[in-house]
């Protein structure tokens, strides 16, 4: 069976992101995948090779979505620390809700917590993607520092790790069944912490 066109493949990956994000890697069966992607087993294996191969592409697709979210906030007219403030608020805000349900915890962190030692390649992939996101944070912070917005003595690599820890915590916190306004308040409090690094 011929492989689907690129557009159809991207649609299939987006549906797979939602499926794995909701169920996790091990709790997702091939039957679940067949139903969610509306593909027969032969077509699935011809397109993605295996469940692990599909999940690997799903992680990359999810990483692209995360990078797009960050880029939209940093390039959408908000520069420097304000862009990061907007990013934190976007993660907790209504735009992250789907069909009335709160956003789910970060898929990369869920993967690190779920996969077994036998899934070392998937674990390493998730860790590598998190490392790339940290580098994106550091690069944007260094750009803000060069523009004079962040104090010159601040270690932007260290601040990027702190920021990523905040993002991970916020995404995991969304698993709690609490009022949505609390997510926004938490993001606002996290954003306020960045003010301590701003040039007076």
């Amino acid at each position: 069976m011929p492989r689907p066109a690129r557009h159809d493949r991207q649609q299939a990956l987006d549906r797979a992101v939602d499926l794995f994000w909701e169920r996790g890697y091990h709790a997702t069966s091939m039957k679940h995948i067949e139903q969610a992607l509306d593909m027969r087993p032969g077509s699935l294996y011809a397109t993605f090779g295996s469940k692990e191969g599909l999940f690997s592409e799903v992680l990359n697709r999810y990483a692209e979505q995360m990078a797009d979210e960050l880029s939209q906030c940093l390039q959408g007219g908000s520069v420097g620390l304000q862009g990061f403030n907007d990013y934190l608020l976007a993660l907790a805000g209504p735009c992250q809700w789907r069909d009335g349900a709160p956003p789910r915890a970060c898929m990369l962190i869920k993967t690190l917590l779920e996969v077994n030692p036998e899934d070392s390649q998937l674990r390493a992939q998730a860790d590598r993607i998190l490392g790339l996101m940290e580098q994106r944070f550091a690069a944007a912070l260094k750009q803000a520092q060069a523009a004079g917005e962040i104090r010159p003595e601040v270690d932007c690599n260290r601040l990027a790790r702190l920021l990523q820890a905040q993002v991970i915590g916020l995404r995991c916190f969304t698993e709690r069944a609490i009022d949505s306004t609390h997510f926004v308040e938490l993001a606002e409090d996290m954003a306020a912490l960045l003010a301590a690094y701003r040039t007076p």
Side-chain angles (χ1 to χ4, degrees):
M1 182 176 293
R3 296 192 176 194
R6 176 174 174 78
H7 177 69
D8 293 337
R9 183 187 183 91
Q10 288 301 110
Q11 287 185 333
L13 281 174
D14 287 339
R15 290 195 294 267
V17 167
D18 286 336
L19 175 64
F20 281 114
W21 199 352
E22 178 180 356
R23 299 188 61 87
Y25 178 65
H26 289 296
T28 301
S29 68
M30 288 304 298
K31 184 60 67 177
H32 291 136
I33 296 171
E34 292 168 23
Q35 294 174 348
L37 275 61
D38 192 23
M39 295 174 69
R40 295 181 179 179
S43 181
L44 275 170
Y45 285 110
T47 304
F48 300 108
S50 64
K51 175 183 172 181
E52 182 178 352
L54 171 61
F55 190 68
S56 177
E57 291 198 39
V58 161
L59 289 179
N60 288 334
R61 179 60 178 157
Y62 176 76
E64 291 174 2
Q65 294 172 352
M66 289 179 61
D68 287 344
E69 290 175 2
L70 178 61
S71 295
Q72 288 172 10
C73 290
L74 295 181
Q75 299 174 7
S78 297
V79 297
L81 293 182
Q82 184 58 49
F84 282 108
N85 290 355
D86 293 346
Y87 178 60
L88 289 169
L89 290 172
L91 294 179
C95 65
Q96 294 299 306
W97 286 55
R98 300 184 181 191
D99 300 324
R104 297 180 288 257
C106 176
M107 181 185 288
L108 298 171
I109 300 304
K110 292 177 72 171
T111 300
L112 289 176
L113 294 174
E114 178 191 11
V115 295
N116 301 319
E118 292 79 8
D119 305 311
S120 59
Q121 290 185 337
L122 293 177
R123 186 179 184 86
Q125 181 180 359
D127 188 64
R128 183 171 60 255
I129 292 171
L130 286 169
L132 291 173
M133 288 299 296
E134 183 181 313
Q135 291 175 20
R136 285 176 177 267
F137 289 165
L141 290 168
K142 290 174 182 177
Q143 185 176 7
Q145 190 177 51
E149 185 178 357
I150 296 176
R151 300 197 316 271
E153 71 273 15
V154 172
D155 183 340
C156 289
N157 291 322
R158 181 173 179 176
L159 181 55
R161 289 191 292 273
L162 173 62
L163 183 60
Q164 185 173 64
Q166 290 177 327
V167 170
I168 289 171
L170 181 60
R171 285 185 177 271
C172 291
F173 198 80
T174 59
E175 287 288 306
R176 295 193 58 199
I178 62 175
D179 191 280
S180 61
T181 59
H182 294 174
F183 297 139
V184 178
E185 291 169 351
L186 182 59
E188 290 173 342
D189 292 340
M190 288 179 171
L193 295 177
L194 293 176
Y197 299 91
R198 190 183 298 273
T199 300

